[in-house]
């Protein structure tokens, strides 16, 4: 029996001459579509085309059954089972995010933490087909409350930081001019204004702890020095008083001896009086020597206390210098750079010498961090500073100006020579890549160089060097451009 007769058109259906409806038209069209697919499906389509052209409908049916068994049934089962597995996984991930992670973050807010934990339990118990709307409302409400409290927390933190900064500002007003505490207060205020990361805050906290410890030692040393000085002065006054009393007694005894000598009648009596005079004189001399020795000992204690104070003050200055350095690389931070610039700019202005400033920025540092992790990126930053220091003069200064941006300050260096310094550093970095966990990390940087003009301020000079740096980036990176 013909397939056309096996599948007759339904009564009342209008015939459409433009679109054939019989299997002789539909099945070959299906085979043509299959043949256009790549791989095994395309091969199966060509076989279907061959069966359709030969009107071998039994082979066509067998090929369709093969297509159903091999592709559609397995795909349908995997799709159905995978969808269920993915929904379960998604529900579990949501439960962990809401019931575990969010609940732990909400511990300072017990009511929200309890609601988050309860939602986590209900999400775990939910199954497809159960009512989801009430659960969804509670999750949305929880998110809203978290947002409200997060905003309140941010405002509280901003207020606290503002109050702390105001306290530091008032503290500066109370300090004497030239106090070494000015630098430490300035560093802390700069950190508060710059939204520092956790690593920088921790390094600063450690530095301040060391500073507080050194201050305690200094205070103790000053107290010991004051006590030693007080003891010396008390001893001095007591000895003066004793000397005065002894001198008065000695004077009286001398007067008595003088009267006795005048009244002496024999050499023997005169000799005895002379012995008494010598004995009193020796006693007075011994007392004076003892007083001198005691005064010298007290003076030595004062000198030793003053030496301890000088040593502690030196350590305190060293601790202050640490507050002007970048904790990761050891280069100067912005505060340290500003102090160095003001010093060198003043000298350059007085002596009419050139002062070159170079800005350099690591190329593609974000991609480098993504590939090697932040620890690898930190290793590159430290390595760059080490190479720069090895090639710079003692008078030159390197500062970490931003995340992967550095500034070199080169006193007495003309523009062309400063450019050559950066180019030499580029070659060294290419020849000696940073090492991290046994792996070489290749990195490059672009640089911009400018030389200070008479009367030019720091910010204007930095902007000119930054424009040159941007030009080096535009020219293809790993280059050094000059600001004329």
């Amino acid at each position: 029996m013909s397939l056309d007769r096996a599948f007759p058109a339904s009564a009342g259906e209008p015939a459409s001459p433009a679109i054939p409806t019989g299997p002789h038209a539909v099945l070959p069209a299906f085979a043509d579509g299959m043949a256009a697919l790549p791989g095994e499906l395309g091969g199966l389509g060509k076989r279907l085309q061959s069966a359709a052209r030969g009107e071998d409908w039994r082979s066509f049916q067998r090929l369709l059954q093969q297509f159903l068994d091999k592709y559609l049934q397995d795909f349908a089962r995997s799709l159905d089972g995978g969808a269920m597995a993915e929904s379960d996984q998604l529900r579990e991930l949501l439960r962990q995010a809401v019931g575990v992670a969010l609940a732990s973050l909400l511990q300072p807010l017990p009511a929200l933490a309890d609601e988050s934990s309860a939602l986590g339990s209900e999400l775990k118990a939910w199954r497809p087909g159960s009512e989801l709307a009430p659960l969804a409302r509670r999750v949305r409400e929880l998110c809203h409350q978290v947002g409200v409290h997060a905003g309140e927390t941010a405002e509280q933190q901003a207020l606290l930081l503002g109050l702390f900064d105001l306290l530091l500002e008032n503290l500066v007003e109370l300090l004497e001019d030239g106090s070494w505490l000015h630098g430490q207060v300035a560093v802390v205020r700069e950190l508060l204004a710059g939204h520092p990361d956790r690593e920088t805050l921790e390094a600063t906290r450690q530095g301040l702890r060391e500073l507080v410890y050194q201050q305690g030692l200094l205070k103790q040393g000053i107290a010991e020095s004051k006590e030693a000085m007080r003891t010396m002065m008390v001893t001095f006054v007591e000895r003066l008083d004793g000397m005065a009393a002894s001198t008065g007694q000695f004077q009286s005894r001398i007067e008595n001896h003088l009267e006795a000598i005048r009244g002496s009648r024999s050499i023997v009596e005169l000799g005895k009086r002379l012995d008494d005079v010598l004995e009193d004189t020796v006693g007075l001399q011994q007392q004076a020597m003892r007083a001198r020795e005691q005064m010298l000992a007290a003076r030595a204690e004062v000198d030793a206390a003053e030496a301890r104070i000088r040593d502690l003050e030196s350590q305190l200055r060293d601790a202050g210098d640490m507050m002007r350095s970048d904790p990761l690389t050891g280069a100067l931070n912005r505060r340290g750079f500003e102090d160095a610039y003001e010093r060198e700019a003043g000298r350059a202005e007085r002596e009419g010498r050139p002062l070159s400033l170079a800005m350099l920025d690591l190329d593609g540092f974000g991609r480098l961090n993504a590939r090697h992790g932040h620890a690898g990126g930190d290793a590159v930053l430290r390595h760059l500073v080490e190479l720069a220091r090895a090639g710079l003069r003692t008078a030159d200064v390197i500062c970490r100006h931003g995340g992967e941006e550095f500034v070199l300050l080169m006193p007495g260096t003309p523009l062309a020579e400063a450019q050559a310094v950066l180019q030499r550093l580029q070659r060294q970095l290419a020849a000696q890549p940073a090492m991290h966990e046994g792996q070489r990390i290749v990195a490059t940087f672009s640089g911009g160089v400018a030389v200070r003009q008479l009367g030019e301020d720091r910010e204007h000079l930095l902007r000119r060097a930054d424009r040159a740096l941007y030009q080096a980036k535009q020219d293809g990176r790993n280059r050094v451009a000059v600001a004329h």
Side-chain angles (χ1 to χ4, degrees):
M1 181 174 60
S2 168
L3 285 176
D4 288 329
R5 292 191 297 273
F7 298 95
S10 300
E13 286 187 358
S16 177
I19 304 176
T21 58
H24 280 293
V26 175
L27 295 179
F30 176 77
D32 292 342
M34 286 280 293
L37 297 176
E40 291 186 11
L41 290 176
L44 182 61
K46 290 181 174 63
R47 293 163 64 188
L48 286 170
Q49 281 180 324
S50 177
R53 282 195 298 269
E55 295 190 358
D56 185 0
W57 305 119
R58 188 178 297 276
S59 297
F60 201 101
Q61 180 183 7
R62 187 175 64 254
L63 290 171
L64 284 177
Q65 187 65 45
Q66 181 182 346
F67 172 67
L68 178 65
D69 294 340
K70 186 172 182 179
Y71 296 100
L72 292 184
Q73 290 182 1
D74 291 342
F75 177 72
R77 283 194 297 268
S78 64
L79 185 64
D80 184 61
M84 293 295 293
E86 288 179 357
S87 67
D88 291 340
Q89 291 175 14
L90 184 59
R91 184 171 65 253
E92 177 61 19
L93 289 174
L94 182 60
R95 183 194 68 81
Q96 290 181 4
V98 174
V100 180
L102 185 59
S104 64
L105 293 175
L106 292 174
Q107 288 303 317
L109 303 168
L112 293 183
D114 292 343
E115 173 64 6
S116 183
S117 298
L119 279 174
S121 300
E122 294 189 24
L123 284 168
K124 184 177 182 180
W126 184 85
R127 291 293 178 269
S130 303
E131 190 176 4
L132 189 59
L135 205 56
R137 283 196 299 272
R138 290 176 59 187
V139 171
R140 285 194 294 269
E141 178 61 23
L142 178 63
C143 292
H144 172 71
Q145 292 298 327
V146 169
V148 170
H149 285 282
E152 293 176 352
T153 302
E155 291 179 1
Q156 291 173 357
Q157 289 177 345
L159 285 173
L160 287 173
L161 289 176
L163 289 173
F164 187 41
D165 186 67
L166 182 61
L167 177 63
L168 292 175
E169 183 179 356
N170 290 329
L171 177 62
V172 170
E173 297 296 328
L174 297 175
L175 294 175
E176 297 179 358
D177 292 338
S179 172
W180 47 266
L181 277 174
H182 279 284
Q184 276 62 53
V185 173
V187 168
V188 176
R189 294 190 68 189
E190 182 180 351
L191 280 172
L192 294 178
H195 304 290
D197 55 25
R198 182 181 179 86
E199 180 182 352
T200 304
L201 283 174
E202 180 61 25
T204 304
R205 185 172 70 92
Q206 293 295 337
L208 288 175
R209 275 185 172 179
E210 177 65 20
L211 192 64
V212 170
Y213 174 71
Q214 296 289 346
Q215 289 170 341
L217 293 179
L218 179 61
K219 183 178 180 181
Q220 179 182 354
I222 292 175
E224 291 175 356
S225 180
K226 288 181 178 179
E227 180 62 24
M229 183 67 75
R230 188 188 67 81
T231 301
M232 187 188 76
M233 294 304 299
V234 169
T235 301
F236 181 70
V237 172
E238 288 177 349
R239 292 307 167 192
L240 280 179
D241 185 61
M243 288 287 291
S246 299
T247 303
Q249 294 173 2
F250 179 74
Q251 183 67 29
S252 298
R253 291 177 65 83
I254 289 297
E255 290 176 356
N256 292 334
H257 290 317
L258 182 60
E259 291 297 327
I261 289 172
R262 287 173 180 169
S264 297
R265 296 291 183 267
S266 64
I267 295 297
V268 175
E269 187 177 353
L270 189 60
K272 184 178 181 306
R273 290 297 177 182
L274 184 58
D275 289 338
D276 292 340
V277 170
L278 291 176
E279 182 179 353
D280 288 342
T281 303
V282 168
L284 182 62
Q285 184 181 16
Q286 291 175 345
Q287 185 176 8
M289 290 296 295
R290 285 194 300 271
R292 179 177 179 275
E293 291 172 356
Q294 291 173 347
M295 289 294 294
L296 289 175
R299 178 62 188 176
E301 291 180 5
V302 172
D303 290 341
E306 290 178 346
R308 285 196 299 273
I309 289 177
R310 286 193 297 270
D311 182 59
L312 289 170
E313 287 176 338
S314 175
Q315 295 180 35
L316 208 54
R317 283 193 297 272
D318 293 340
D321 291 340
M322 289 174 61
M323 300 301 296
R324 297 169 185 264
S325 301
D326 172 51
L328 174 64
T329 64
L332 291 180
N333 58 19
R334 282 176 178 260
R335 175 70 182 180
F337 167 71
E338 290 172 3
D339 293 343
Y341 179 86
E342 294 305 322
R343 181 178 65 250
E344 296 299 339
R347 185 177 302 170
E349 197 79 18
R350 291 191 304 270
E351 301 175 4
R353 298 196 308 160
L355 177 62
S356 288
L357 184 145
M359 295 192 71
L360 57 94
D361 185 89
L362 284 163
D363 298 324
F365 191 70
R367 293 192 301 273
L368 188 148
N369 262 338
R371 181 176 180 183
H372 299 282
H374 288 288
D378 291 347
V380 172
L381 295 174
R382 287 192 295 266
H383 181 65
L384 177 60
V385 171
E386 290 171 2
L387 286 180
R389 280 180 167 165
L392 294 176
R393 304 166 304 171
T394 306
D396 297 334
V397 170
I398 181 168
C399 157
R400 187 179 181 190
H401 201 251
E404 65 272 15
E405 188 176 71
F406 294 86
V407 173
L408 296 182
L409 192 63
M410 293 170 277
T413 305
L415 187 63
E417 185 178 336
Q419 182 184 15
V421 168
L422 254 67
Q423 291 170 337
R424 183 169 62 250
L425 180 57
Q426 284 178 329
R427 293 192 295 270
Q428 291 173 338
L429 184 61
Q432 305 174 46
M435 298 295 296
H436 177 64
E437 296 180 349
Q439 184 179 6
R440 292 158 58 93
I441 303 179
V442 178
T444 63
F445 68 83
S446 302
V449 186
V451 66
R452 181 181 180 273
Q453 301 169 353
L454 288 178
E456 186 175 18
D457 62 32
R458 183 182 69 252
E459 292 304 319
H460 190 268
L461 179 59
L462 282 169
R463 283 196 296 272
R464 290 203 296 123
D466 188 55
R467 285 195 295 269
L469 169 63
Y470 178 76
Q471 186 62 49
K473 295 279 190 182
Q474 292 293 103
D475 291 343
R477 304 174 185 266
N478 196 23
R479 301 171 187 270
V480 178
V482 173
H484 294 288

